[in-house]
Amino acid sequence: MKKLPINSFLFMIGFILFLVGCSNDTETSNSTDDSGGETVNLTMQAWGNPEELKVYQRAIDGFMGENPNIKVDLVSVASDQYEQKLMTSLQGSKGPDIFYAYEPTMPELIDAGVVQPLDDFFASDESYASLDDFSEGLFGPARSDDVTYGITPDANPMVIYYNKKVFEEAGAKSPQEYYDEGNWNWDAFLEVSEKIKESGKTGLVMENWWAHWYSWVWSNDGLIFDENGEVVLQENDKAKEAFHFMHDLVQSEKAVYAGSLPQGQGVDAMFMSNQVGMIAGGRWFTPQFDQNKALEYDYIPFPTNTGNKVEEVGVPVAYLAVNSKNDHVEEAMKFVSYYVSTAGQEVRTGEGGSALPSINTINSEALADTTDKHIEYMFNAREDGFTHGSNLAKDAHYPGLNTDITETIDLMFLGKQDADTTIDKVVEVIQEHTK
Amino acid sequence: MNRNRPNVWGYFFIAPQLIGLLIFSLIPLVYAFTLSFTDWNGFGDFQFIGLANYIEQFQNPEFWKAMLNTIYYMVLVVPIGIFISLILSIGLNKIKGKEIYRVFFFMPVVTSSVSVGIIFMWILNGDFGILNQLLALVGIDGPMWLTDTKWVIPSIAILSIWWGLGYNMVIFLAGLQGISKSYYEAASIDGANVFQKFRHITLPLLTPTTFFVTIMTIISSFQVFDQAFVMTQGGPAKASYTIVFHIYEQAFVDFTMGQSSSAAIILFIIILIFTLIQFKFQDRWVFYEK
């Protein structure tokens, strides 16, 4: 066999080095601006549709207006597989300086030591906001051992949206009337759903993710996890009753399961085309619904089965965190404090916004919402709600657990598994992950 | 003149492929192999734990579920896919306007798996999908293809067979065109009919191509992922949870990189063994023209 000639070998090495030399280093850097001062460049990674990104940019522009020496670039990453992309880039030490993170991602990031503790900075004069401005229930998994690693820039408490036209056509009393009488409970919910079904439409689109299950369970004063984050579903009859309630809603066709709808025929599309009386969600549906002038809808809290007018609901949030390995941690924290401050929140969550402010003091009047809808129900829910990863919804702390619970409940909604088997399996997967 | 000069250019031309192989295949392979002996969540230091990941893998019911699903998928896709593409290629070898038909059959191959997955979600939707609408016309109550645990793997297999048909067909066509006409002429003189020609000339001389197609289809069946990822996310109840899905979930959902790597290495060894077995037994059924 011929040996590789030495000159060929050197040539190849040279070629490889040439290719490596051509690659670009994308680390953040300092540069000098026109005025001669030093500019700090930061990147902020987030998910969002084009409209949402425009809203984020408003707060970024506000910050850069006040801090001309700090430049923040918004990097948008598709929400699909966002977490995987974020974790991979952080593992490769090429992560963004500031980033949005989902609730279940925070415990992972805290364990890995890649997120910056924020308490000291937020207590300093440099900060635009104070941690006391935020409800305790909103910190959830972003706070560990009394150290805060992430702050929610807004909040999205769950309410029921109801389509007035569908209710009228079905001859059903509106949820608001039941609510005013103090009777907006599970029985009333079943009653209106049945009427809507009789009119040839569907009462509710049932979705399968944490904010829905927990909101239904809590509406019956049930618990899957207790205040200490221990799983109690196996002995909690109220929670079991809520599983049966959800199961029966779908099986009796008062609700249609979102998982069996074809692509494009989503929850929002069914609601806007007057096919369904109610859907559950946060404020993210609102901008789209408001553009549809023919659609008449309003908000109502989740119906309860406890005799109380309202119970706690899930509050989907995202966290803004700072990469502890970035070269400009102080500037990054300053930006985060602005982004989550009253000024930063008002420009993002004002009219046309897709979430509520997470700062307690910003109320429905501050939103300049000129419609006659009962947006105050969302604000009320914000005060009493819990985020994913709070002790009452602890599953977000265990990687993969949420996916496994979703898969089990999926079978129940698809009619492949009864409610009792589903409860047993949910308990089983939780115990497996938390042992 | 330097007599090594032609060699230099040879290395120059293969350099891009060689570098690609090195950077994107060999280094990751060695890296994954090393990772498979560690407990690592993607951050911080590695902790070597010996064979614990492999033992954990074999004790993990999800690994076996993924393996069984993958084998079930393979049993459906390999024989049916190869049989249909063989028949099609024979048909398209002589038919009028064959170029146009070949383009039609090959078109799905150049479509991305994600697009194909999304289209099939529509076609296979149990309530509104066109397939069940068509079945209803002939009085058949179609199943809930993607949401029924019994039907989800066959549904993904249907998609994969359709998607991979063109690729296998083109390879079979190349094989068919490599068979010398003189064999058929000689057989005609001996009075052989169409079936006899197919049985005694086409099939044996096509065995090297069939061998190649079989190996490639088995390997790609073991690696099935995109379709399940787009259409079912491994569900319902992990009924379409395949071995590559298991590797993905352990790495990017559970963030147990070491365990994920051990599953990847096990998959690598299984594919290697399957391929070696096929090479070992090829003497019994593969005929090369001498």
Side-chain angles (χ1 to χ4, degrees):
Chain A
M1 203 174 133
K2 255 186 180 178
K3 274 189 179 170
L4 185 71
I6 188 72
N7 55 354
S8 307
F9 181 72
L10 290 174
F11 179 83
M12 273 179 64
I13 296 289
F15 187 68
I16 292 170
L17 289 175
F18 168 74
L19 287 180
V20 171
C22 287
S23 73
N24 204 355
D25 193 356
T26 54
E27 288 269 305
T28 55
S29 60
N30 295 351
S31 61
T32 307
D33 66 16
D34 296 340
S35 59
E38 200 174 63
T39 304
V40 171
N41 292 304
L42 297 172
T43 52
M44 176 177 111
Q45 183 173 306
W47 64 81
N49 60 41
E51 288 305 312
E52 285 173 309
L53 295 172
K54 271 187 214 161
V55 170
Y56 301 165
Q57 191 63 46
R58 282 188 225 156
I60 295 173
D61 291 341
F63 174 75
M64 293 198 297
E66 291 192 22
N67 298 276
N69 65 323
I70 304 174
K71 187 171 179 298
V72 183
D73 274 332
L74 176 60
V75 180
S76 104
V77 170
S79 57
D80 184 31
Q81 311 306 309
Y82 179 89
E83 186 187 28
Q84 284 77 1
K85 283 170 190 155
L86 174 68
M87 296 299 263
T88 314
S89 67
L90 288 171
Q91 285 161 358
S93 303
K94 289 276 181 191
D97 302 313
I98 303 144
F99 48 85
Y100 268 64
Y102 289 111
E103 306 99 311
T105 318
M106 284 310 294
E108 290 287 316
L109 296 171
I110 295 168
D111 277 354
V114 292
V115 277
Q116 177 69 23
L118 301 170
D119 305 82
D120 291 346
F121 184 85
F122 272 74
S124 74
D125 295 341
E126 281 280 282
S127 175
Y128 286 95
S130 160
L131 294 182
D132 299 334
D133 299 339
F134 300 85
S135 290
E136 192 58 35
L138 296 184
F139 284 102
R143 193 171 263 174
S144 173
D145 294 331
D146 290 332
V147 181
T148 311
Y149 296 92
I151 298 170
T152 175
D154 45 44
N156 246 320
M158 298 289 286
V159 291
I160 302 272
Y161 286 64
Y162 66 94
N163 184 319
K164 291 182 175 176
K165 208 176 267 178
V166 173
F167 269 78
E168 275 166 29
E169 282 171 9
K173 219 158 75 175
S174 88
Q176 185 62 50
E177 287 174 69
Y178 283 104
Y179 185 79
D180 292 340
E181 294 164 5
N183 289 328
W184 181 233
N185 51 32
W186 281 11
D187 289 338
F189 188 83
L190 290 173
E191 206 175 295
V192 295
S193 300
E194 181 61 36
K195 281 208 165 155
I196 294 169
K197 183 186 160 192
E198 281 166 7
S199 73
K201 298 193 171 170
T202 304
L204 173 86
V205 181
M206 178 66 82
E207 289 189 72
N208 180 15
W209 54 280
W210 76 270
H212 294 256
W213 332 312
Y214 282 107
S215 298
W216 283 112
V217 168
W218 295 338
S219 76
N220 195 32
D221 200 23
L223 289 173
I224 296 176
F225 291 90
D226 67 10
E227 294 79 3
N228 303 316
E230 300 291 332
V231 56
V232 291
L233 170 61
Q234 65 275 27
E235 66 243 18
N236 192 291
D237 291 338
K238 296 279 186 187
K240 289 180 183 174
E241 195 183 359
F243 271 79
H244 279 272
F245 179 75
M246 290 190 278
H247 170 269
D248 296 349
L249 268 179
V250 176
Q251 296 317 315
S252 63
E253 295 177 355
K254 292 186 183 74
V256 63
Y257 177 40
S260 62
L261 297 174
Q263 285 261 320
Q265 186 64 45
V267 179
D268 42 357
M270 284 196 78
F271 191 77
M272 284 198 288
S273 58
N274 302 323
Q275 294 303 305
V276 62
M278 293 170 283
I279 59 171
R283 197 179 172 211
W284 55 83
F285 289 124
T286 301
Q288 188 186 359
F289 290 171
D290 283 347
Q291 281 176 11
N292 183 347
K293 299 296 173 209
L295 179 68
E296 290 170 39
Y297 76 97
D298 203 347
Y299 316 108
I300 197 80
F302 266 67
T304 65
N305 196 36
T306 58
N308 296 335
K309 252 188 148 176
V310 287
E311 292 290 348
E312 293 107 350
V313 285
V315 186
V317 298
Y319 292 101
L320 201 58
V322 170
N323 182 348
S324 60
K325 296 210 170 86
N326 102 49
D327 295 333
H328 307 289
V329 171
E330 287 291 311
E331 288 85 348
M333 287 193 290
K334 189 171 187 182
F335 169 72
V336 169
S337 76
Y338 180 88
Y339 196 83
V340 303
S341 70
T342 304
Q345 295 214 12
E346 279 181 352
V347 291
R348 285 184 292 105
T349 57
E351 202 179 348
S354 56
L356 294 192
S358 51
I359 286 185
N360 292 333
T361 48
I362 313 181
N363 54 26
S364 52
E365 285 148 29
L367 280 192
D369 190 292
T370 51
T371 62
D372 56 355
K373 286 188 263 309
H374 294 78
I375 198 164
E376 64 271 20
Y377 295 146
M378 279 194 197
F379 280 92
N380 297 344
R382 181 187 66 178
E383 308 308 317
D384 298 323
F386 292 94
T387 63
H388 200 199
S390 300
N391 275 354
L392 291 185
K394 187 85 175 183
D395 62 274
H397 280 260
Y398 306 94
L401 173 54
N402 186 258
T403 312
D404 286 352
I405 298 178
T406 310
E407 279 172 7
T408 305
I409 295 181
D410 188 38
L411 283 180
M412 179 176 87
F413 286 142
L414 289 170
K416 306 283 171 206
Q417 192 172 269
D418 63 33
D420 286 324
T421 314
T422 307
I423 293 163
D424 291 345
K425 286 196 176 169
V426 168
V427 172
E428 203 178 296
V429 295
I430 294 175
Q431 286 172 338
E432 184 109 333
H433 279 265
T434 54
K435 69 183 174 195
Chain B
M1 278 293 277
N2 182 349
R3 64 185 184 84
N4 285 328
R5 203 170 178 77
N7 285 349
V8 176
W9 284 106
Y11 292 120
F12 177 77
F13 286 122
I14 63 164
Q17 178 71 5
L18 210 61
I19 293 165
L21 187 73
L22 192 73
I23 296 176
F24 298 113
S25 295
L26 290 179
I27 294 176
L29 185 67
V30 173
Y31 194 59
F33 188 68
T34 315
L35 272 185
S36 71
F37 299 104
T38 66
D39 181 16
W40 190 57
N41 69 354
F43 297 99
D45 297 329
F46 301 122
Q47 198 188 342
F48 277 88
I49 52 167
L51 289 172
N53 283 331
Y54 289 91
I55 295 165
E56 170 85 28
Q57 212 57 256
F58 290 124
Q59 289 173 343
N60 185 347
E62 290 193 353
F63 172 80
W64 292 110
K65 174 109 190 153
M67 195 54 88
L68 282 177
N69 284 341
T70 310
I71 290 170
Y72 178 30
Y73 168 85
M74 191 174 75
V75 167
L76 290 177
V77 167
V78 176
I80 299 175
I82 292 176
F83 178 75
I84 298 178
S85 47
L86 175 65
I87 299 296
L88 267 182
S89 59
I90 290 168
L92 289 184
N93 198 23
K94 293 199 173 139
I95 198 170
K96 252 189 187 171
K98 55 192 172 190
E99 285 79 10
I100 296 188
Y101 285 109
R102 285 179 197 172
V103 169
F104 282 151
F105 282 108
F106 196 74
M107 262 185 345
V109 179
V110 294
T111 315
S112 85
S113 56
V114 175
S115 317
V116 171
I118 291 171
I119 293 165
F120 267 74
M121 279 169 78
W122 277 91
I123 295 173
L124 298 173
N125 183 279
D127 294 319
F128 312 95
I130 191 166
L131 183 56
N132 277 3
Q133 305 285 338
L134 291 175
L135 288 174
L137 290 180
V138 289
I140 299 172
D141 188 13
M144 302 294 282
W145 297 96
L146 296 173
T147 51
D148 188 325
T149 46
K150 286 193 214 78
W151 280 99
V152 66
I153 288 278
S155 302
I156 295 171
I158 290 170
L159 180 162
S160 302
I161 290 169
W162 174 79
W163 190 41
L165 214 55
Y167 177 78
N168 286 345
M169 189 193 75
V170 164
I171 295 176
F172 273 124
L173 271 173
L176 283 171
Q177 283 162 10
I179 301 174
S180 167
K181 279 186 181 150
S182 59
Y183 294 119
Y184 295 107
E185 285 161 5
S188 296
I189 292 165
D190 288 343
N193 62 27
V194 175
F195 179 74
Q196 285 167 326
K197 284 182 201 169
F198 175 72
R199 169 73 188 80
H200 297 287
I201 301 173
T202 312
L203 267 190
L205 290 177
L206 215 50
T207 48
T209 315
T210 313
F211 177 61
F212 173 77
V213 168
T214 309
I215 287 186
M216 296 309 284
T217 316
I218 287 179
I219 292 176
S220 67
S221 299
F222 267 117
Q223 295 173 334
V224 59
F225 173 71
D226 328 18
Q227 300 93 316
F229 186 73
V230 173
M231 296 201 296
T232 60
Q233 287 283 312
K238 295 208 185 294
S240 59
Y241 186 74
T242 63
I243 191 73
V244 177
F245 210 105
H246 179 66
I247 294 170
Y248 168 81
E249 278 224 335
Q250 291 209 313
F252 299 110
V253 178
D254 298 347
F255 298 105
T256 47
M257 299 291 172
Q259 282 196 28
S260 169
S261 300
S262 68
I265 296 295
I266 294 169
L267 175 63
F268 171 76
I269 292 168
I270 291 172
I271 291 178
L272 188 70
I273 291 171
F274 258 84
T275 311
L276 287 177
I277 291 173
Q278 288 177 83
F279 269 97
K280 173 91 182 147
F281 287 103
Q282 65 164 322
D283 302 348
R284 301 198 182 170
W285 67 281
V286 180
F287 305 98
Y288 291 98
E289 270 187 280
K290 294 275 166 30

